[in-house]
Amino acid sequence: MASFSKQTETFTEKHLEKAARMRQAVILELFSSIVMLTPVDTGRARGNWIYSVGAPNRRTDSQPNDRSGSRVTGELNHLVSGDDGIYYFNNNLPYIGALEAGVSSQSPDGMVSISLNRVKEWIRKNEASLHK
């Protein structure tokens, strides 16, 4: 029979791994949703989302990027696997606030607020699996 200490250690490891997977899933879902809801004209706004850990990245791409957003979501998938810390996802274009406010008919309700609500609902639906 395993000692109480070993049982506690095994329980802790199991749940820390689950928490890490959940954190990864939430970050990918949230950030990918924001990218894909970003209106596309030239592709610059969608392609200028920047992911960083620890501090916001202040870079602004000067050229339009991948209109599909696959470059950004691909980077996210690679970067989020294993990072711990405070996550930043920002877009430094001067008109991104206007897009979030709904000036584009492609995304009249913004991108970030809708994505946050989607992820909150996803967490509520999957909350029970966190406690198994």
Side-chain angles (χ1 to χ4, degrees), residues 26 29-30 32-38 107 109-126:
V26 166
E29 180 63 29
L30 176 62
S32 296
S33 177
I34 292 169
V35 169
M36 298 316 292
L37 286 174
T38 302
S107 190
D109 298 319
M111 306 82 63
V112 177
S113 56
I114 288 176
S115 296
L116 283 170
N117 288 331
R118 285 180 180 175
V119 168
K120 285 177 189 176
E121 184 60 30
W122 182 85
I123 290 170
R124 271 194 289 278
K125 287 179 181 178
N126 291 285

Side-chain angles (χ1 to χ4, degrees), residues 14-48:
K14 176 183 171 186
H15 288 283
L16 286 175
E17 288 174 17
K18 277 183 159 181
R21 285 193 306 271
M22 180 59 78
R23 180 199 78 229
Q24 205 173 3
V26 166
I27 291 167
L28 287 171
E29 180 63 29
L30 176 62
F31 293 174
S32 296
S33 177
I34 292 169
V35 169
M36 298 316 292
L37 286 174
T38 302
V40 175
D41 182 12
T42 65
R44 189 169 180 214
R46 184 175 281 179
N48 205 66

